[in-house]
Amino acid sequence: MSILILRSIIIYLLLITYVNANDHCGNNEQARLLAQLIIKDGKQNRSTIRCNKLLTEVALSKAKKMLEFGLIAHTLDGSPNDRLRAANYQLPKYYGNDFNSNQVEAIAGGYKDAEEVWSAFKRSEAHRTHLLAEHEFYLEQDEIGVALIKEWNSPHVEYWVIYLAKGLQQDQSKTKHLDDIPNKSLFIMQAPKE
């Protein structure tokens, strides 16, 4: 069996498995598939990732904002961290508060489907580090929400937004101190123009 056929079967099975679950991971089929690709990736370092409806709603709002401006940018209407806080998603106090603070958001533009954008995210060190928890800081993040909007008459056509963050727990404080808290504010993914 060719690798392409096997890969297609795996993607199809992931999609069928997820369609029967709840829709809290994404706003449409491709967004939910991307969430499942992230959650089930063989190199995922988190033991558990839950779907979060609020994160998906905020991701959709951000995708709409990027479409409105025709931009792929983390800081439209403030930082990604502030966007979640404004939606009453409680982040730990040690997550950044600056205008460009981003420990929670991954965005991309111009990728036609979940497989293509996931492949691109994995090739980007900053995105891969966040989404697969390759840095100790990200291991605590256990909730995901994904959105995709397509608009043929816009600069990027596809606008992808992922929020992967620490879910609300009784004790959101870290048990150990980390001096190195990553900030992905400048890392933006765009499909190359052909």
Side-chain angles (χ1 to χ4, degrees), residues 6-194:
L6 183 59
R7 192 169 113 191
S8 296
I9 290 170
I10 290 169
I11 296 297
Y12 177 75
L13 291 174
L14 276 173
L15 184 57
I16 286 183
T17 301
Y18 190 71
V19 167
N20 294 327
N22 65 46
D23 290 342
H24 296 323
C25 273
N27 70 310
N28 58 42
E29 183 178 297
Q30 284 295 308
R32 289 187 291 275
L33 179 56
L34 177 56
Q36 288 306 299
L37 290 170
I38 294 166
I39 292 167
K40 296 182 184 289
D41 191 282
K43 294 187 178 183
Q44 180 58 257
N45 289 299
R46 296 173 183 89
S47 58
T48 304
I49 302 175
R50 297 179 311 276
C51 300
N52 183 289
K53 184 178 180 181
L54 179 58
L55 289 179
T56 297
E57 290 170 1
V58 177
L60 180 58
S61 170
K62 175 63 178 271
K64 288 177 180 177
K65 183 61 70 175
M66 291 192 312
L67 171 63
E68 176 186 339
F69 285 93
L71 295 172
I72 308 298
H74 287 293
T75 55
L76 293 175
D77 286 346
S79 77
N81 292 3
D82 285 344
R83 182 175 283 278
L84 289 187
R85 289 181 177 118
N88 292 319
Y89 187 91
Q90 296 181 26
L91 291 174
K93 291 178 182 175
Y94 51 85
Y95 277 49
N97 290 308
D98 296 334
F99 175 74
N100 65 349
S101 292
N102 179 18
Q103 286 82 42
V104 296
E105 181 184 86
I107 57 178
Y111 295 93
K112 66 180 178 179
D113 60 35
E115 251 185 324
E116 184 179 67
V117 75
W118 182 229
S119 177
F121 277 133
K122 290 197 301 185
R123 288 190 309 270
S124 163
E125 183 179 351
H127 289 96
R128 186 185 65 248
T129 299
H130 172 217
L131 298 173
L132 293 176
E134 292 177 344
H135 186 286
E136 177 185 14
F137 176 83
Y138 294 122
L139 285 171
E140 73 177 7
Q141 296 180 337
D142 59 358
E143 292 189 331
I144 192 169
V146 180
L148 164 65
I149 292 181
K150 289 185 178 189
E151 175 58 53
W152 291 106
N153 296 322
S154 68
H156 300 282
V157 181
E158 296 90 2
Y159 297 82
W160 296 88
V161 179
I162 302 166
Y163 282 106
L164 189 51
K166 180 175 172 42
L168 180 62
Q169 298 175 8
Q170 283 184 312
D171 180 11
Q172 289 198 69
S173 63
K174 292 217 48 97
T175 56
K176 55 185 162 181
H177 178 71
L178 284 177
D179 291 325
D180 181 24
I181 297 178
N183 186 7
K184 307 184 320 106
S185 66
L186 301 177
F187 297 99
I188 298 167
M189 296 264 308
Q190 284 184 218
K193 303 266 190 222
E194 293 183 22

